[in-house]
Amino acid sequence: MADPSNPGRNEVTARRRNAARLPLDGWERSLLVLLVLLVAGLCLSVDGFYPGFAGFLALTENFLPFGLVALGLTTVILTGGIDLSVGATAGLSAIVMAELWSGLHVSIWLAAVVGLLAGGVLGAVNGLIITRLRTEPLIATLATSFIYASIATALAGPSPPAGFPDAFNLIGTGTLIGPIPLQLVLFSVLALLFTLLLQYSTFGRRIVMVGYSSEAARYSGLRIDRIVLSAYVISGVMSAFAGIVLAAYYSAVRPDMGDVLLLSTITIVVLGGVSIFGGEGTIAGVVIAVLLLGFLRQGMLIAGYSDMVTTMLTGAILLGAIAIKNILSGRGTGLAALLTRIRGRRPATTGSAAE
Amino acid sequence: MSYAAAETAPVAAGHYQATEVTKTFGSVSVLRGVSLTLRPGRIHTMMGENGAGKSTLFKILSGLLRPTTGELRLDGAPVAFSAPHDAHQRGIYLVPQEPALMPELTVAETMFVGQLPTRAGFPRRVDWPGLRRQAQQALSSLGLAIDVGQLARHLSIAQQQQVECAKALLRGCRIILFDEPTSPLTSHEVERLFGIMRRLRDDGCTLGFISHRMDEVLDISDDISVLRDGALVDTVDRSGFDRVRLLSQMVGREMRVIPRRTASFSTGRPMLQVEGLAHAPRFHDVGFTLHEGEVLGLAGLVGAGRTEIAETIFGIRTPDAGHVRLGGDEITGLAPHAIIRRGLVYVPEDRARHGAILPMTITENITSGLLDRLRQRFGLIDRNDEDRTGAAIVTQYRVRCAGIDQPLRQLSGGNQQKVVFGKWMGLQPRVAILDEPTRGVDVGAKDEIYELIEELAKAGLAILVISSEMEELVRLCDRVLSIYEGRIVAEIEGADITPARVGQSYLSRDGLAA
């Protein structure tokens, strides 16, 4: 069956792995260019945005908790699911930690570990509801977000604990090796770990397979339920971690402290190029999106714009970015498919097939 | 066709003529110059194997698809449709195999969707009593007693088809095409449908019909056209009906001796033993033994339960009763991952949904079944080892591609299938179940797939092949089991495996006795 007219075959072994699976490899690069332009623009035009290197880096402390949640949420979205309980999980985990510390006089460090475990348990509850009860992730995590938030409010009481030990507060505000915020170090290490986990490990490969097609993954002998469950556990732990970092940053907890996390992190993940239908996306894209939206927000606030304006701008950027992505790729979040449908479905014609 | 030219003169109402109609999807040619005429007062049946182009032809005739080339003429005048609605206005209606009536509307409403009768005045109001009356009339004119006030979701498939017939009449359509309506129906329901079809025919309507089932085709048809590989083989009227001849025309190349492998599987050890396997209501009491190096075929009509049997053996479905043993070990009720580990793999029929992940790369698809066997460091995949594995399979199975990182979706159907084969054979299984292994594979690549299957069997793999193509079964199989409505009705061995014999064996519950 040798076919000399086909030169491709002999080169097969020589070909290096390329970005064929990620047709939007350029997406991360475009985001990066945008980030550099944005930061440069803000440095030049907004007084106080660059008060020196240390001050500039310290800005990240305001938004890195979003990044922590985004890492976990990316795992879930890659499987084709969604976790709407990230905010409630962050709030409840932080409250659990704070109550253990103030009420039961447990060491704050041990309490923090229990808080992380609590996040894992809350994530496992989400995962079990989704896999065992065959519930839509959207509905399941919406419901648990209400439940988690109510439990947090009940646990917190009228005056939630505050004034944690200084050593603990350093997680949110401390620096390492000179001016580098501890938060930034933690986020960088975790981002690297998630990159390895999701893009280079067998676990990550399975996550992506489930995200592209859980049916095909099942016929390939993957244990879908296990994989999906672990994604929600990871999301729960990362949310709890974000809640604990926020607690350390403010040296206080509130049951609703996680509420701001949800919509912003979904924005980050989608802007980072992760397909809401699962399978497609990179941690690099998400990390760049964290920095892009974070610096934008901080810059606008420093320049004196109200929160309303920055939020509006965030919405506009999200819409614009996704529209561009869909127009360029012809697929992705499904908007493009909708557009072609609106334009009128044409039956396939001879020879025009691009594939 | 030669007689096409003679009919350009005006003809009586209800003549629907296709001339040299072709249809291609991308580079695949589905219809190749088909010319035929449907006439009023006659039932004209299309016969042919799966993929012969029957449904595509009906979709073109009913405005769902546009022909790539060729012409349609209605009573001598050329017509072109951009949507089924256009065809309805010209009096042409397609009754689908499984009509999609809107489940939450009443029967009367579904019959008038898009053209509700209104009363004069402002605002225009729907004439509900008139709608019910007209709907009921249309149904009774066909001798049907379906309550038009009930919700459509309460109707059986047979009743939905009947409602579709009435819908066609309400829209004034006199040319009615039935796309394989009988395959989901029971024999009693088929009789009812045929009653309606005869009534319409005697009323002067022009009817088109698709079916595989020889008995019912000979019973109901006035004309029969046989299609094969997208081309019209022959059109005959009642005087020319001949069961054997039609069968050989459908299968084709009957005179050619199909090369058959000659294996001595009988010496092989039993690898897969199935006993009394059942999964109501899809199949009952299925039992067989598959030997090392044997290729065993499962023949049957679409919907006979063959895929369900395979999926139950593979652990996707849980059986109600029965046992499956793999090399002597009980595997009944295990999950797919456990069954795969014990050496049984399944290549599903629907490659895009079950068999492969088309947006992922060739290598990623190949290694998706053997991630645990790749070299790893701290759970991280050794990409060099993965690339070597992928490249080895690509070379061994002669996959034509630009590189191992090409997304699978960019390959042709045949090469995609080779990748899926390679993915599973990389595991060195003992038993492989291949469900329609050449579905969506172009003719040239089919032979390559056949050669692959033969090589694997020679190397000792026990193979169960599900196929709706008789030629495929004849070429590949040492033994063929015929399935009819979820039961094994015949077993054909060795030289008895001929297209005619296999083709006839699964058409009734009596197997070869028919």
Side-chain angles (χ1 to χ4, degrees):
Chain A
M1 211 49 59
D3 181 3
S5 67
N6 174 26
R9 188 138 37 85
N10 293 334
E11 295 168 25
V12 159
T13 39
R15 285 289 180 110
R16 280 309 308 150
R17 178 171 294 274
N18 59 30
R21 186 166 67 76
L22 299 166
L24 296 173
D25 195 29
W27 184 253
E28 286 85 354
R29 259 175 275 155
S30 320
L31 278 183
L32 193 62
V33 170
L34 202 59
L35 173 65
V36 170
L37 290 177
L38 176 87
V39 171
L42 287 170
C43 285
L44 293 176
S45 62
V46 176
D47 283 339
F49 182 77
Y50 192 85
F53 191 54
F56 172 70
L57 286 182
L59 283 179
T60 61
E61 289 175 350
N62 292 297
F63 59 80
L64 283 181
F66 293 93
L68 296 174
V69 177
L71 292 178
L73 189 61
T74 300
T75 315
V76 166
I77 292 183
L78 277 178
T79 67
I82 185 81
D83 186 353
L84 297 184
S85 75
V86 288
T89 303
L92 179 51
S93 307
I95 295 281
V96 165
M97 174 197 76
E99 290 296 334
L100 281 176
W101 171 73
S102 79
L104 301 177
H105 308 292
V106 176
S107 134
I108 188 73
W109 300 108
L110 181 61
V113 171
V114 176
L116 284 180
L117 289 178
V121 171
L122 299 175
V125 170
N126 286 333
L128 287 172
I129 291 173
I130 289 160
T131 56
R132 302 279 159 205
L133 305 182
R134 304 273 155 221
T135 315
E136 280 297 312
L138 187 83
I139 305 299
T141 57
L142 180 65
T144 55
S145 78
F146 294 146
I147 296 169
Y148 298 168
S150 323
I151 297 174
T153 310
L155 270 182
S159 53
F164 302 119
D166 288 346
F168 172 76
N169 292 341
L170 285 179
I171 297 176
T173 55
T175 55
L176 205 73
I177 336 171
I180 303 174
L182 190 55
Q183 272 200 42
L184 189 59
V185 175
L186 286 172
F187 178 72
S188 309
V189 170
L190 281 165
L192 187 67
L193 277 178
F194 269 81
T195 304
L196 292 177
L197 182 73
L198 294 178
Q199 281 154 251
Y200 293 88
S201 78
T202 53
F203 174 75
R205 188 65 65 75
R206 292 191 169 103
I207 291 261
V208 169
M209 283 177 70
V210 171
Y212 272 123
S213 167
S214 70
E215 276 288 281
R218 194 161 75 106
Y219 279 79
S220 293
L222 265 60
R223 278 170 276 186
I224 313 295
D225 287 358
R226 268 194 196 194
I227 296 161
V228 168
L229 177 64
S230 34
Y232 284 91
V233 170
I234 289 172
S235 177
V237 171
M238 291 308 290
S239 303
F241 192 47
I244 290 165
V245 170
L246 281 175
Y249 183 70
Y250 294 118
S251 191
V253 290
R254 282 170 53 104
D256 59 353
M257 63 195 285
D259 289 3
V260 293
L261 292 172
L262 177 64
L263 293 179
S264 306
T265 38
I266 292 180
T267 310
I268 288 168
V269 174
V270 173
L271 182 65
V274 180
S275 162
I276 205 81
F277 294 131
E280 226 162 79
T282 63
I283 290 294
V286 172
V287 168
I288 299 169
V290 168
L291 299 175
L292 189 65
L293 283 185
F295 280 122
L296 176 73
R297 210 175 178 84
Q298 293 307 312
M300 299 283 289
L301 290 174
I302 292 167
Y305 290 100
S306 74
D307 206 37
M308 199 175 61
V309 178
T310 36
T311 307
M312 206 155 73
L313 193 64
T314 308
I317 287 179
L318 180 65
L319 271 182
I322 296 308
I324 290 168
K325 182 178 156 187
N326 285 334
I327 289 163
L328 289 180
S329 72
R331 60 206 200 95
T333 59
L335 263 171
L338 201 69
L339 279 175
T340 27
R341 195 174 290 184
I342 292 166
R343 282 193 219 112
R345 218 180 317 176
R346 277 174 292 267
T349 47
T350 326
S352 71
E355 297 196 349
Chain B
M1 285 280 122
S2 52
Y3 59 83
E7 288 187 353
T8 43
V11 281
H15 279 71
Y16 192 21
Q17 183 184 358
T19 311
E20 290 295 321
V21 166
T22 65
K23 180 70 189 175
T24 54
F25 292 105
S27 58
V28 183
S29 178
V30 186
L31 283 180
R32 295 185 280 193
V34 172
S35 303
L36 48 79
T37 306
L38 307 182
R39 293 159 212 273
R42 297 183 77 84
I43 297 175
H44 193 143
T45 302
M46 310 294 137
M47 290 196 83
E49 296 189 272
N50 291 331
K54 310 177 298 275
S55 287
T56 309
L57 178 63
F58 271 27
K59 282 179 182 153
I60 287 172
L61 292 177
S62 62
L64 267 166
L65 294 175
R66 270 185 270 188
T68 307
T69 63
E71 191 184 42
L72 302 179
R73 279 171 178 269
L74 187 57
D75 295 329
V79 286
F81 310 119
S82 57
H85 180 70
D86 295 349
H88 294 171
Q89 290 196 320
R90 303 302 302 265
I92 300 155
Y93 197 90
L94 177 77
V95 176
Q97 184 183 91
E98 301 200 2
L101 298 181
M102 293 170 194
E104 296 304 324
L105 295 185
T106 65
V107 171
E109 283 166 335
T110 62
M111 291 170 70
F112 282 93
V113 163
Q115 47 178 56
L116 291 171
T118 50
R119 280 193 234 237
F122 183 84
R124 302 220 309 175
R125 283 166 303 152
V126 174
D127 176 13
W128 293 110
L131 178 145
R132 288 186 59 126
R133 198 180 54 247
Q134 286 184 51
Q136 200 76 64
Q137 268 170 11
L139 285 168
S140 7
S141 75
L142 290 173
L144 298 169
I146 295 172
D147 171 15
V148 297
Q150 69 181 317
L151 294 183
R153 69 180 147 95
H154 296 308
L155 299 182
S156 68
I157 286 182
Q159 286 174 317
Q160 294 188 32
Q161 289 178 350
Q162 292 160 3
V163 169
E164 284 284 343
C165 295
K167 240 171 113 172
L169 292 183
L170 274 174
R171 283 164 166 67
C173 295
R174 303 278 292 165
I175 300 174
I176 305 177
L177 307 173
F178 294 83
D179 185 0
E180 227 185 315
T182 57
S183 58
L185 304 185
T186 65
S187 50
H188 182 69
E189 289 170 336
V190 169
E191 271 317 306
R192 277 203 79 117
L193 178 69
F194 283 3
I196 296 169
M197 287 172 65
R198 290 199 178 95
R199 191 186 277 247
L200 290 168
R201 173 187 62 191
D202 298 343
D203 207 30
C205 287
T206 307
L207 299 187
F209 178 59
I210 292 179
S211 171
H212 290 290
R213 299 182 182 171
M214 185 62 75
D215 291 332
E216 65 185 36
V217 169
L218 296 178
D219 178 28
I220 188 89
S221 312
D222 298 300
D223 300 292
I224 298 178
S225 288
V226 179
L227 290 170
R228 188 176 71 230
D229 295 336
L232 182 71
V233 181
D234 198 5
T235 298
V236 289
D237 64 14
R238 211 155 240 293
S239 63
F241 286 3
D242 175 344
R243 182 184 292 260
V244 175
R245 213 181 89 152
L246 287 170
L247 263 176
S248 70
Q249 284 177 335
M250 268 169 71
V251 177
R253 289 162 288 222
E254 187 213 32
M255 296 310 138
R256 197 188 84 180
V257 179
I258 298 160
R260 270 182 48 77
R261 32 177 258 107
T262 47
S264 50
F265 71 88
S266 50
T267 55
R269 289 174 294 143
M271 288 309 298
L272 180 71
Q273 289 157 290
V274 178
E275 272 171 38
L277 201 66
H279 185 28
R282 304 315 300 269
F283 62 89
H284 318 273
D285 195 27
V286 167
F288 60 86
T289 301
L290 174 63
H291 302 85
E292 196 173 7
E294 180 184 17
V295 182
L296 174 63
L298 285 188
L301 292 168
V302 172
R306 296 170 299 162
T307 294
E308 288 80 1
I309 293 171
E311 288 185 345
T312 308
I313 294 172
F314 185 60
I316 296 275
R317 296 162 185 261
T318 317
D320 302 331
H323 294 277
V324 183
R325 285 192 198 84
L326 179 61
D329 301 329
E330 183 90 25
I331 58 163
T332 323
L334 293 182
H337 68 90
I339 289 176
I340 292 168
R341 199 177 305 142
R342 284 167 175 77
L344 187 151
V345 298
Y346 173 55
V347 176
E349 175 182 5
D350 189 338
R351 196 161 47 240
R353 273 183 60 208
H354 301 142
I357 301 180
L358 299 183
M360 293 179 83
T361 69
I362 294 170
T363 306
E364 285 167 336
N365 269 285
I366 288 172
T367 56
S368 65
L370 41 79
L371 283 174
D372 291 327
R373 300 200 187 176
L374 290 177
R375 202 176 296 162
Q376 294 178 26
R377 263 169 294 174
F378 314 111
L380 303 183
I381 299 166
D382 179 339
R383 295 243 170 151
N384 290 325
D385 187 41
E386 179 175 24
D387 285 355
R388 270 195 301 274
T389 310
I393 297 282
V394 162
T395 313
Q396 186 183 347
Y397 290 92
R398 307 163 200 134
V399 178
R400 285 187 204 95
C401 57
I404 56 172
D405 291 328
Q406 208 180 354
L408 192 61
R409 100 161 76 78
Q410 293 178 357
L411 301 194
S412 69
N415 283 301
Q416 287 179 6
Q417 189 70 322
K418 287 189 250 173
V419 168
V420 177
F421 266 56
K423 155 185 166 181
W424 288 126
M425 296 318 148
L427 286 167
Q428 289 158 332
R430 298 187 283 174
V431 178
I433 303 177
L434 313 176
D435 196 347
E436 302 287 0
T438 59
R439 169 74 39 97
V441 171
D442 43 293
V443 180
K446 274 185 182 179
D447 272 327
E448 286 186 67
I449 302 265
Y450 295 150
E451 280 164 30
L452 266 176
I453 294 172
E454 284 160 359
E455 278 169 34
L456 290 165
K458 205 176 286 174
L461 185 68
I463 302 175
L464 186 66
V465 176
I466 297 175
S467 178
S468 298
E469 293 187 36
M470 277 176 264
E471 234 181 294
E472 191 162 295
L473 292 169
V474 170
R475 160 148 191 190
L476 290 173
C477 297
D478 301 307
R479 211 156 42 106
V480 172
L481 299 175
S482 298
I483 312 287
Y484 181 81
E485 291 184 358
R487 288 178 200 279
I488 298 178
V489 292
E491 177 171 348
I492 310 167
E493 243 178 286
D496 287 345
I497 305 177
T498 60
R501 215 167 152 77
V502 173
Q504 213 167 47
S505 64
Y506 57 71
L507 297 178
S508 78
R509 76 180 74 251
D510 309 318
L512 285 169

